Amino acid sequence: MRTPTVLISGASIAGPALAWWLNGYGWRTTVVERFAELREDGQNIDIRGAGREVARRMGIEDAVRAASTGETGTEFVDSAGTPLARFAAGTSDSGGATAELEILRGQLSRIIVERTRDRTEYVFGNRIVSLDEGEGEGEGEGDDGVTVTFADGAIRRFDIVVIAEGLRSRTRSLVFPRVDAVRELGFYVAYLTLARTVDDTDLWRWHSAGRGRSITLRPDNLGTVRATLAFLSDVRGLDELDRDGQTTVLRRTFADVGWAAPRVLAALDDAPLYFDAVGQARMPSWSSGRVALLGDAAYCASPISGMSTSLALTGAYVLAGELATRPHRTAFARYEEVMRPYVDRAQKLPPGAPRIANPRSRTGLAAMNTVLRIAGTPAAARLGGLASRFFTPPADAIDLPDYPPALAPSP
């Protein structure tokens, strides 16, 4: 039988994970990535619930644990850095604001890419500019395919194409040109990496500063600290400003904020900056013909959900398993049937999010701090863990299907 072929656009997490599974099912996989090389940067992410079970089935759980950020829990602080409440890291597959498995996004990507390089063709510094699909009479994967034109002028043909890009995927718009895919949440986050100091800890420290603003510091395993400046805004398009414009917005927004704000603002002069408008991908369908969407391009739940990485890994597992056992039309339909309820749960953010953790008024900030103090007491923990329930996303809310075992790469 002819070996089926797939082009996957995006070399972050979902794309390489799909390649891992399809390689094991005998597919010939190609991954195209618009960046010139694998990106080792990125902030802290966690792997929970079904995503963690998929990581186990891929045989990467131990590697992820070895690359852990070392974050030991979450601590909320006031403007002077005085702790208001502290919550230990989770000890289960899903629980806690800090999950048991925390890793930098770039390091998880590297772990998966390293395990697929021998069987996957990686094309860096290129991207898809057009897709031309022709269908045959039947459903067999060899009936026809998708002709792909790349930015460098190359033209190739594949049985199917999977778009595993980010929330604001350009390639998705080639397939769904009239779909407004992004639901904006009115929330911006700036990410920076700082030099670690003696005052830094292994806790995820979080300060809500009122007027819809918050600042956080998180440890990593590289001897540095990952910082965020987050704020609510009704103004759209701030993420489209140039670096100087974004820096100006951040300095003005956080000028009167205490705790670590002056340190983070000072780092804006020379630290790498990633400025993001937070949103969700709400797509009426995740496939069209021989092209499917995966990960954030299909169903980004936003960083607020704590679910994006688990959705990426779980979606890759399900899509690959369906493609290994069914013709592509049926496989795409089944993939959506299995994943859609899980995604719907993930996209239902905690009540009031993101505003509840970023109060605009003094009254709202005082109320939030009072709730945190109560939730962080030993008595509250003994009564069932209010904080644990609030911080635990629905990462287990899916029964993973069983598919034929994939042939793992040689060690």
Side-chain angles (χ1 to χ4, degrees), residues 6 18 37-38 97 100 119 125 143 148 156 162 215 271 341 355 375 381 400:
V6 57
L18 179 66
E37 58 187 10
L38 186 65
E100 188 181 16
R119 297 192 293 178
D143 295 329
V148 180
R156 297 175 62 179
V162 176
I215 179 170
R355 285 165 175 77
L400 286 177

Side-chain angles (χ1 to χ4, degrees), residues 353-399:
R355 285 165 175 77
I356 190 170
N358 301 274
R360 290 185 185 272
S361 69
R362 291 182 179 180
T363 301
L365 180 60
M368 187 193 80
N369 288 342
T370 298
V371 170
L372 285 171
R373 288 188 181 98
I374 295 171
T377 62
R382 288 194 298 270
L383 290 173
L386 170 65
S388 177
R389 291 196 297 272
F390 184 83
F391 291 134
T392 299
D396 291 312
I398 184 174
D399 292 324

Side-chain angles (χ1 to χ4, degrees), residues 4 68 117 135 170 174 218 276 303 306 406:
S68 169
R117 280 194 185 275
E135 288 286 335
R170 297 184 181 96
L174 298 176
R218 306 187 74 170
D276 186 30

Side-chain angles (χ1 to χ4, degrees), residues 22-208:
L22 288 179
N23 286 340
Y25 292 133
W27 284 58
R28 188 164 70 247
T29 57
T30 299
V31 175
V32 61
E33 169 58 54
R34 65 187 180 94
F35 289 96
E37 58 187 10
L38 186 65
R39 291 177 293 163
E40 295 281 354
D41 57 352
Q43 296 291 313
N44 307 54
I45 58 175
D46 46 45
I47 305 174
R48 301 174 184 262
R52 184 162 172 179
E53 176 58 27
V54 170
R56 287 194 188 104
R57 297 183 187 188
M58 295 173 70
I60 64 171
E61 185 180 27
D62 288 345
V64 172
R65 190 186 304 279
S68 169
T69 62
E71 188 171 289
T72 58
T74 306
E75 183 177 73
F76 291 86
V77 303
D78 65 15
S79 60
T82 303
L84 299 171
R86 181 180 297 178
F87 306 96
T91 56
S92 66
D93 279 9
S94 299
T98 291
E100 188 181 16
L101 287 187
E102 296 275 351
I103 187 172
L104 296 179
R105 184 208 59 79
Q107 293 188 6
L108 177 58
S109 178
R110 174 181 49 78
I111 286 170
I112 303 174
V113 169
E114 285 177 349
R115 286 158 174 76
T116 56
R117 280 194 185 275
D118 289 346
R119 297 192 293 178
T120 296
E121 175 192 11
Y122 279 92
V123 181
F124 288 96
N126 211 343
R127 60 185 174 84
I128 298 170
V129 295
S130 72
L131 297 163
D132 184 13
E133 183 175 342
E135 288 286 335
E137 294 296 325
E139 279 203 347
E141 303 301 346
D143 295 329
D144 218 324
V146 185
T147 299
V148 180
T149 302
F150 295 89
D152 66 357
I155 299 175
R156 297 175 62 179
R157 196 160 180 82
F158 300 87
D159 289 319
I160 66 168
V161 173
V162 176
I163 301 169
E165 299 175 357
L167 169 64
R168 302 175 196 281
S169 166
R170 297 184 181 96
T171 313
R172 180 183 59 207
S173 64
L174 298 176
V175 185
F176 299 92
R178 289 176 293 278
V179 176
D180 184 8
V182 180
R183 177 196 173 205
E184 303 289 356
L185 296 181
F187 192 55
Y188 291 95
V189 183
Y191 300 90
L192 301 91
T193 302
L194 311 178
R196 185 168 178 131
T197 72
V198 295
D199 294 325
D200 290 316
T201 73
D202 288 331
L203 294 165
W204 177 13
R205 292 187 292 167
W206 183 323
H207 171 53
S208 290

Side-chain angles (χ1 to χ4, degrees), residues 313-332:
L313 291 172
T314 305
Y317 169 80
V318 172
L319 178 55
E322 296 298 335
L323 286 170
T325 55
R326 309 173 194 273
H328 75 274
R329 290 192 187 97
T330 310
F332 288 166

